[in-house]
Amino acid sequence: MMRGKLLMAGLCAMSWCMFPMSGLASSSGSSIMISQQKGSVIHGTVTDANGETVIGAYVVKKGQRTGAITDVQGNFTIEAGEGTELVVSCVGFQSTSFVVKAGKSTYAITLKEDRKTLEDVVVVGYGTQKKVNLTGSIATVTADKLVNRTGSDVTNMLTGLMPGVTIIQNSSLPGADQGILRVRGLGTMGNASAMVIIDGVESSMSEVNPNDIDNISVLKDAAASAIYGVRAANGVILITTKHGQKGKATVSYDGYTGWQEATRMPKYVGAYDYAMLMNKAYVNDGQTAPYSDAELQKFKDGSDPDRYPDSDWLNALLSENGFFHNHHIGIKGGGDRVVYSLALNYFDKDGLIYNTNFKKFNVRTNLDAQINKRVKFSTNISFYRSRQLTPADGVDNLMHYAFRESPVTPIQFSDGRYPLFKNEHNSVAYSRIGGTSKEIATSFQGNLGLTVDIVDGLKFRGIAAGAFRFDDNPVHTKSMPFYTMGASGTSLVKTTQSSISEYDIKHFETNLQAYLDYNKTFGKHAISGLLGLSQMYQQTRYLYAKRKNIPNSLSQLNAGEVTGQSTEGTEVEYALRSAFGRLNYVYADKYLFEANLRYDGTSRFPKNKRFGAFPSFSLGWRISEEGFMQSTKSWLSNLKLRLSWGLLGNQETVNSDGTVNYYPYQNTYSYGYDYSFNNSLQTGISISSRMANPNITWEKTAQWNLGLDATFFGNNLNFTLDIFRKDTRDILLQLPVPGIMGVNPPMQNAGKVRNTGFEFQANYNNRCGELIYSVTGNFSYVRNKIVDLSGGDTPGQSVGDPLWAYYGYVCDGIFRSEQEIKEHPSQAMGDPVPGDLKYRNQNDDQTVDSNDRKVLGSYFPKINYGLNFNVQYKGFDMSAVLQGAAAVKGLPVAEIRYAFYNGGKLTDKYLDSWTPENPNASMPRLSMKDEKNRIISSFWVQDASYLKMRNIQLGYTLPAKITGKYGISRLRIYGSIDNLFTISSFDSVDPELVSGTYYPLTRNYTFGLNITF
């Protein structure tokens, strides 16, 4: 026992500057005496509620920072005069104080355990639970982690904050910069998106403003997610928005403004190097060099920019400064019966390309009214409207054009007219004068909630929600003249055709929920239960129309030609009916049990296949509450072991082209297919291109999870570890069929994928005087592989392969000489010459062919990690978010990795290409037509691991004594930088861009202001 107390003494002494406390003190009493204000010598003993001595407790005079620390017997000595208030504190206990009385010099102090952390609640499906009683794996983020982060979407702000949650941001295009969020890897070949619930109703993360969020819970394992059944296989994200609070009304304003710049873009050679390297390529191909020395000189000196330019297409396309600003106003307050919250937000962000912009406006109001002591009424209403502006030809196309357009083609002639690259396109002209596409989204969502306390411990809750969304996508492609440069100047070579199209989507949804919630404690027994029903209905209508040859000055369909016009329209419906329940049992705050069951029926499957049951079971053991652990109470606040198993479902029937198949079990038909009958044309219909499958049913995911939670020194050091295995079977996919069938394959339950991994998070809080800081680190590893495809294996997607895999040859470098070629097996892709890539013979058959290809890696990272810092000192605060990924591969697009691909340009890496004079070059020989080096291999597939400074922020809060004079309770100013740096060996572009549009990720510089009245 004494050895354990000595250990505690050491730990508590270390906590002088390692853990938060009410005040700081130096040793006194039986250890070290420090200078004090003269007074009586006060002696005392500090114990806990069980009578055990508390070692390392701090005793200080209120308002001061020096005092005494209790020794191994819990004793302290301090000088204090009559009437002095002394504060006693220790990590893991509630602080207390006492006043020195005349004639009394000895005091016995009892500290109570600080159970604040133990009483913390976490939002779970259809309710909340005490954090210490959780048996599932749940990650949480509170509002303070999101405040003052720039951006229009919450998803990217979560990057690096939670273990087991992977977010890949593959674009910074305004309005399309939402990251790809995956919970515990890729569990399916179809839609792997997590379900999002906002205030109890399914919604979208893009439609909630970060300033309106109170907390976010991510349900990661089956025990936590099974209550949502059919839609929970890929995880569930629960978002709770801010509500009003009792007291006088408070008004807050949060605003910021800033600008952007592109990060990590490919470095293409200039016109002179381009022409010189093209000459080498032609010579390597046995042809005459196209550029003479005189022409090379003109590219070099820039004497004739119209005919011999040096064009930087990428820089010209990404020429804007990307200015953005955001304004948020929040009002909340209330009385004894009614509390309210109202928030308004406006966001405006320009892109780096001309005619790219995103604006959105949010309104959200929450009202909670206590009608009487048993009945509570609540309502949540939100309105959202956004407009994304892009060039009519599409940003994806423009970026690929700019990657290809060569520096020897002028961007714009000196007379202001535009040319075409190879008579095909001009990315800069298309962005500036080619017309625009607008994606306008208008959304309204509201829900009414009723809570009735039936009897003590039993409540009825009901929610009626409705949502309407209207998406309008007008695209006006303008007519553009393009010119060529002749001996006497420019002349017209081509005029593009104008057109206008409208694509409208109307979406309506109702969601009804009713459930009973029971919670009761009987001595050492705590029982809670949930039993509910829900019904959801969705209707979506699509309408498309297009006409051509519209004057550039007009933007209405009626202005176009009737000849050649086209229209399309359709409607789909979907319904889901569910019953669900949950049972929780806690004995003596030590032994935990939870069971969930959801019974779902969906309209997407046939009647005999549409219902499914999804159960989960979990156990928890709070080891720290056992009698044999009581000696650790002074430093171990909580130690819990968790074990869970559950079965989840997935109904997302996604076709191989990415479209949703709402009716995979029945044939659908399309009109407009005419046929000849009796020598006349008859109106007819045709079966849709996809076959039906009357036996299709749920995709199912079974998941095991073993977890450990530990809390030390109150709430100062927290640790969570989870190990999991997730098996997804009956995966909904389309297996290949012979082309002779004339239709696309049906959706089938045919695949199986396994994910295994582990994740942990550690949080450390520190306070040393007025310096407060915290460090949080998280790490996750997940490995996925295909277990079964029912015989539908294809190269790169076969049993044993990971999802999102690259498939190709292993490259062993470059052939440096003819001798190396003679010593190497033949290559079926063509006879190599010195300077070509050398491919490995995997099966030792003396021929390198398609059978030697293998999986080269996946562009979904196996490893994700994050490190977050927060520091406060007096009025200053600083925060930083570092995030990284590893065990991931990347492959830039062909226009970047290959030289002169499709008649395009090349990056500066090719300045070190192979020649007889440069046999040890890093890049293969140049060629205009040889394709042997332009096949997927490990030479091109790169390590895409990275470490990024996602955000760093510095702020200052003005003293209240200054701002209070003006009726301001808080005023804070700050500066912030997103994506300050990236450390990666990946070449040319940001490693996250390999799965996106190649619109660059941006570095954002922001200045902001927070005011509360």
Side-chain angles (χ1 to χ4, degrees):
M1 178 67 73
M2 179 57 67
R3 183 175 298 175
K5 288 188 175 183
L6 289 174
L7 173 63
M8 278 305 304
L11 290 171
C12 287
M14 287 172 63
S15 68
W16 177 273
C17 282
M18 289 180 65
F19 302 105
M21 58 204 76
S22 303
L24 295 179
S26 294
S27 298
S28 185
S30 60
S31 30
I32 302 173
M33 196 75 151
I34 62 173
S35 177
Q36 302 283 344
Q37 182 180 351
K38 292 297 182 182
S40 303
V41 177
I42 304 299
H43 303 277
T45 302
V46 180
T47 60
D48 62 15
N50 298 319
E52 294 286 336
T53 57
V54 177
I55 307 170
Y58 294 84
V59 184
V60 298
K61 297 175 183 178
K62 186 175 182 179
Q64 294 189 15
R65 297 171 53 190
T66 56
I69 301 177
T70 57
D71 59 19
V72 292
Q73 283 82 37
N75 299 324
F76 68 90
T77 301
I78 189 172
E79 290 186 1
E82 178 185 346
T84 301
E85 184 176 358
L86 298 178
V87 178
V88 184
S89 61
C90 186
V91 290
F93 296 89
Q94 298 178 19
S95 299
T96 189
S97 63
F98 66 95
V99 177
V100 175
K101 298 179 180 179
K104 185 176 181 180
S105 61
T106 303
Y107 294 83
I109 310 299
T110 301
L111 293 181
K112 296 180 180 179
E113 183 180 4
D114 184 1
R115 299 187 60 85
K116 179 179 182 299
T117 303
L118 305 184
E119 301 299 323
D120 283 351
V121 296
V122 174
V123 177
V124 297
Y126 301 100
T128 60
Q129 289 185 18
K130 286 184 179 180
K131 187 175 181 180
V132 294
N133 290 341
L134 288 176
T135 52
S137 180
I138 299 178
T140 60
V141 172
T142 52
D144 60 298
K145 301 296 183 183
L146 305 177
V147 68
N148 303 322
R149 292 289 301 275
T150 62
S152 60
D153 190 80
V154 179
T155 306
N156 297 329
M157 299 181 185
L158 300 178
T159 306
L161 300 185
M162 294 178 288
V165 179
T166 302
I167 298 171
I168 302 173
Q169 185 183 1
N170 54 25
S171 175
S172 286
L173 178 66
D177 54 357
Q178 302 90 344
I180 300 172
L181 188 151
R182 297 292 180 261
V183 178
R184 289 187 168 176
L186 298 169
T188 181
M189 299 169 186
N191 186 348
S193 299
M195 180 186 184
V196 178
I197 305 290
I198 300 178
D199 290 332
V201 180
E202 190 170 1
S203 188
S204 167
M205 292 181 72
S206 63
E207 295 187 10
V208 61
N209 188 270
N211 292 85
D212 298 336
I213 294 175
D214 183 56
N215 63 75
I216 298 176
S217 293
V218 179
L219 314 184
K220 297 186 291 185
D221 71 341
S225 305
I227 196 71
Y228 289 106
V230 62
R231 295 163 294 167
N234 299 306
V236 181
I237 300 173
L238 304 179
I239 298 177
T240 304
T241 60
K242 295 175 181 177
H243 284 242
Q245 56 189 18
K246 182 179 177 181
K248 68 175 184 178
T250 61
V251 180
S252 62
Y253 168 79
D254 301 286
Y256 60 79
T257 186
W259 69 94
Q260 315 160 64
E261 64 182 21
T263 63
R264 294 179 68 93
M265 293 304 290
K267 298 177 181 178
Y268 291 103
V269 298
Y272 172 78
D273 287 327
Y274 173 88
M276 178 189 65
L277 293 174
M278 181 174 280
N279 280 350
K280 288 184 179 181
Y282 270 79
V283 171
N284 289 342
D285 292 338
Q287 297 178 317
T288 303
Y291 295 104
S292 66
D293 290 343
E295 289 175 315
L296 290 175
Q297 182 59 37
K298 288 181 180 180
F299 284 126
K300 196 171 187 178
D301 61 30
S303 58
D304 188 355
D306 282 341
R307 294 176 178 84
Y308 298 94
D310 186 9
S311 302
D312 187 346
W313 289 87
L314 202 54
N315 188 57
L317 181 65
L318 303 170
S319 60
E320 305 302 300
N321 58 19
F323 178 76
F324 58 87
H325 56 104
N326 184 82
H327 309 277
H328 181 273
I329 296 176
I331 305 171
K332 59 183 179 180
D336 293 332
R337 288 185 173 271
V338 179
V339 294
Y340 59 88
S341 173
L342 172 65
L344 300 93
N345 194 88
Y346 177 74
F347 178 84
D348 189 341
K349 184 178 184 180
D350 290 329
L352 301 178
I353 298 176
Y354 193 84
N355 274 328
T356 55
N357 173 267
F358 181 70
K359 293 180 173 70
K360 74 171 184 176
F361 176 69
N362 298 69
V363 179
R364 181 175 294 274
T365 179
N366 293 334
L367 179 71
D368 299 288
Q370 191 72 48
I371 306 302
N372 55 49
K373 66 178 182 178
R374 291 191 178 272
V375 180
K376 181 180 179 180
F377 171 81
S378 62
T379 179
N380 303 306
I381 299 173
S382 65
F383 172 80
Y384 169 89
R385 183 173 173 85
S386 67
R387 189 210 68 174
Q388 183 190 24
L389 178 72
T390 57
D393 210 55
V395 170
D396 192 1
N397 287 333
L398 296 187
M399 291 302 300
H400 280 80
Y401 294 162
F403 287 155
R404 183 177 168 226
E405 291 160 336
S406 75
V408 298
T409 301
I411 298 171
Q412 188 174 19
F413 292 124
S414 55
D415 62 4
R417 294 171 170 174
Y418 288 101
L420 286 169
F421 169 73
K422 292 188 175 297
N423 204 34
E424 295 176 19
H425 46 71
N426 182 317
S427 60
V428 176
Y430 281 12
S431 70
R432 295 182 176 273
I433 63 173
T436 58
S437 170
K438 299 176 183 177
E439 294 189 22
I440 303 168
T442 305
S443 170
F444 174 85
Q445 183 171 343
N447 68 69
L448 303 176
L450 180 68
T451 302
V452 179
D453 290 333
I454 301 173
V455 296
D456 183 30
L458 180 63
K459 294 181 179 181
F460 167 81
R461 302 178 189 270
I463 294 177
F468 175 79
R469 181 182 173 102
F470 179 72
D471 294 313
D472 181 21
N473 182 204
V475 181
H476 186 188
T477 302
K478 293 185 176 181
S479 175
M480 295 175 287
F482 290 99
Y483 297 83
T484 186
M485 176 62 69
S488 59
T490 57
S491 59
L492 183 67
V493 67
K494 183 178 181 180
T495 300
T496 62
Q497 187 179 51
S498 64
S499 66
I500 190 167
S501 64
E502 288 270 356
Y503 188 41
D504 295 339
I505 304 174
K506 295 183 179 70
H507 178 84
F508 174 72
E509 178 180 331
T510 58
N511 192 320
L512 303 176
Q513 303 172 21
Y515 50 97
L516 294 171
D517 191 352
Y518 180 75
N519 198 320
K520 195 72 174 179
T521 300
F522 306 94
K524 293 184 178 182
H525 307 273
I527 300 174
S528 62
L530 179 76
L531 185 63
L533 299 169
S534 72
Q535 171 76 42
M536 187 175 69
Y537 170 78
Q538 292 180 356
Q539 180 191 67
T540 307
R541 303 180 65 183
Y542 304 87
L543 180 63
Y544 173 81
K546 182 177 181 178
R547 285 185 176 181
K548 299 178 181 179
N549 294 323
I550 294 177
N552 285 349
S553 58
L554 299 177
S555 58
Q556 290 78 36
L557 275 169
N558 283 347
E561 291 181 352
V562 176
T563 303
Q565 69 180 359
S566 61
T567 57
E568 296 178 16
T570 188
E571 178 181 322
V572 294
E573 292 180 300
Y574 155 66
L576 181 71
R577 182 173 295 165
S578 310
F580 52 89
R582 177 170 59 222
L583 175 66
N584 294 86
Y585 174 68
V586 180
Y587 176 72
D589 285 331
K590 290 188 288 187
Y591 309 114
L592 318 172
F593 170 77
E594 179 176 318
N596 292 274
L597 177 66
R598 184 164 180 124
Y599 189 66
D600 279 317
T602 177
S603 63
R604 295 194 182 182
F605 302 136
K607 290 184 178 180
N608 62 332
K609 299 284 188 178
R610 64 180 40 163
F611 285 93
F614 303 96
S616 75
F617 305 93
S618 56
L619 299 170
W621 178 26
R622 292 190 62 203
I623 305 171
S624 56
E625 301 307 299
E626 295 289 356
F628 60 81
M629 295 291 290
Q630 293 309 301
S631 62
T632 67
K633 276 295 184 181
S634 57
W635 58 273
L636 180 63
S637 304
N638 182 50
L639 180 64
K640 179 174 63 178
L641 188 66
R642 296 178 280 107
L643 177 66
S644 69
W645 173 88
L647 183 67
L648 306 171
N650 186 3
Q651 63 170 358
E652 298 303 318
T653 47
V654 181
N655 297 313
S656 56
D657 60 2
T659 59
V660 177
N661 190 344
Y662 286 92
Y663 312 105
Y665 66 94
Q666 60 182 354
N667 288 320
T668 57
Y669 299 87
S670 300
Y671 287 87
Y673 290 87
D674 299 338
Y675 64 100
S676 177
F677 183 75
N678 256 355
N679 295 322
S680 64
L681 193 64
Q682 306 292 325
T683 301
I685 62 175
S686 171
I687 191 171
S688 67
S689 62
R690 296 178 185 89
M691 298 174 65
N693 179 3
N695 297 312
I696 194 169
T697 188
W698 306 98
E699 184 175 299
K700 303 174 186 70
T701 298
Q703 187 171 173
W704 287 93
N705 192 93
L706 177 64
L708 180 70
D709 302 327
T711 302
F712 304 92
F713 309 108
N715 189 32
N716 309 122
L717 181 62
N718 297 277
F719 178 83
T720 298
L721 171 67
D722 282 279
I723 303 170
F724 63 88
R725 191 179 94 173
K726 183 166 68 171
D727 290 304
T728 303
R729 67 179 190 271
D730 297 332
I731 290 178
L732 297 162
L733 53 83
Q734 291 173 283
L735 296 179
V737 297
I740 196 172
M741 294 187 66
V743 292
N744 289 329
M747 191 72 64
Q748 300 182 54
N749 297 105
K752 183 176 180 180
V753 171
R754 173 171 293 171
N755 279 14
T756 55
F758 68 91
E759 59 202 27
F760 69 82
Q761 177 168 296
N763 170 261
Y764 167 65
N765 301 283
N766 179 316
R767 177 167 187 164
C768 192
E770 295 186 71
L771 177 66
I772 304 171
Y773 66 89
S774 67
V775 181
T776 303
N778 63 75
F779 180 93
S780 62
Y781 171 87
V782 59
R783 177 179 181 267
N784 74 59
K785 68 175 181 178
I786 299 171
V787 178
D788 183 35
L789 283 174
S790 299
D793 298 52
T794 57
Q797 187 167 295
S798 302
V799 171
D801 294 343
L803 296 176
W804 290 15
Y806 293 113
Y807 188 74
Y809 295 93
V810 175
C811 180
D812 289 325
I814 299 172
F815 286 112
R816 308 295 177 181
S817 65
E818 289 286 357
Q819 184 62 33
E820 287 190 19
I821 296 173
K822 291 178 181 179
E823 295 171 354
H824 191 269
S826 62
Q827 298 190 162
M829 62 285 300
D831 294 331
V833 297
D836 284 341
L837 295 181
K838 182 194 303 182
Y839 302 115
R840 183 179 301 174
N841 182 21
Q842 299 280 358
N843 55 14
D844 297 325
D845 62 357
Q846 297 306 308
T847 301
V848 179
D849 55 21
S850 60
N851 296 319
D852 293 297
R853 293 178 298 170
K854 61 174 291 186
V855 170
L856 303 175
S858 170
Y859 60 95
F860 189 87
K862 291 181 180 178
I863 295 174
N864 282 275
Y865 56 93
L867 192 60
N868 312 308
F869 302 90
N870 289 277
V871 179
Q872 298 178 42
Y873 180 73
K874 295 185 177 179
F876 292 95
D877 63 87
M878 190 195 79
S879 63
V881 179
L882 284 163
Q883 181 268 332
V888 57
K889 297 293 186 178
L891 180 69
V893 292
E895 291 88 348
I896 295 177
R897 65 179 182 263
Y898 301 142
F900 307 117
Y901 180 78
N902 199 16
K905 51 193 172 188
L906 69 172
T907 63
D908 60 1
K909 294 186 301 180
Y910 284 94
L911 292 171
D912 186 31
S913 59
W914 185 94
T915 65
E917 297 76 29
N918 186 24
N920 296 317
S922 60
M923 300 300 291
R925 70 186 182 92
L926 294 169
S927 174
M928 298 300 297
K929 59 181 182 180
D930 199 325
E931 298 294 326
K932 293 191 296 294
N933 298 325
R934 294 179 179 176
I935 55 179
I936 303 299
S937 74
S938 59
F939 185 87
W940 306 111
V941 176
Q942 305 176 41
D943 180 9
S945 303
Y946 65 83
L947 171 64
K948 294 187 177 186
M949 176 66 79
R950 287 288 182 178
N951 177 262
I952 185 168
Q953 185 175 134
L954 178 64
Y956 178 70
T957 302
L958 274 67
K961 63 182 180 181
I962 297 177
T963 59
K965 298 177 182 179
Y966 305 97
I968 300 173
S969 60
R970 181 175 182 265
L971 193 157
R972 176 179 178 269
I973 55 176
Y974 66 91
S976 172
I977 303 176
D978 293 322
N979 295 321
L980 177 61
F981 63 79
T982 299
I983 300 173
S984 177
S985 63
F986 193 76
D987 186 57
S988 298
V989 296
D990 191 285
E992 289 187 278
L993 287 184
V994 294
S995 60
T997 64
Y998 280 83
Y999 182 93
L1001 295 188
T1002 59
R1003 182 175 298 112
N1004 303 332
Y1005 301 91
T1006 307
F1007 295 95
L1009 177 69
N1010 310 126
I1011 306 177
T1012 303
F1013 298 92

